[in-house]
Amino acid sequence: HWDSCCYDQCTLCEGKGIKWWNEVEYEGEPLNCGEVDAMLYAEETEVGTENCTEIVSSFKGDCCYDYPTTPCDVCTKEDGERHTLMPNEEVDYEESTFTCAEVNNFLSPFESSSDQCE
């Protein structure tokens, strides 16, 4: 059943994190990186195909990041004490309103020691 049930899926950020919130333009339409990655899955795009190669090479720079050694986490204090995230609470961040889960995701590509994490 291997050939009938499985395929070698093309993923936008293989082995890396995805900045799902970053907006890019695909075929003249604005999409976020998460939507581009989901499209590859929905269309059953395989590794090695021309479509996979084109999409990955076009968007990996804007959409992918290397996982930090110690990722920024809004619920970890400077002394290392960790609290529990309240994902649905809303906060103001960079002049807009987001949920705490969204803010935590925005910050997760950065090291905990980075300026962005302060």
Side-chain angles (χ1 to χ4, degrees), residues 10-77:
C10 176
T11 57
L12 185 57
C13 299
E14 183 67 39
K16 296 181 178 238
I18 185 166
K19 298 177 187 174
W20 57 267
W21 59 90
N22 265 14
E23 194 166 282
V24 293
E25 188 172 299
Y26 177 72
E27 295 185 348
E29 296 293 320
L31 293 177
N32 66 45
C33 295
E35 291 170 320
V36 174
D37 193 51
M39 177 187 67
L40 292 171
Y41 174 75
E43 294 178 359
E44 296 181 2
T45 306
E46 291 197 50
V47 169
T49 62
E50 185 177 337
N51 195 34
C52 176
T53 303
E54 285 180 12
I55 290 173
V56 170
S57 64
S58 295
F59 300 115
K60 69 180 177 182
D62 290 328
C63 294
C64 307
Y65 66 91
D66 292 323
Y67 291 111
T69 304
T70 310
C72 184
D73 182 311
V74 296
C75 292
T76 301
K77 293 180 163 186

Side-chain angles (χ1 to χ4, degrees), residues 90-99 102-103:
E90 292 187 344
V91 293
D92 291 330
Y93 178 74
E94 294 189 356
E95 301 177 19
S96 294
T97 301
F98 295 98
T99 66
E102 289 171 322
V103 173

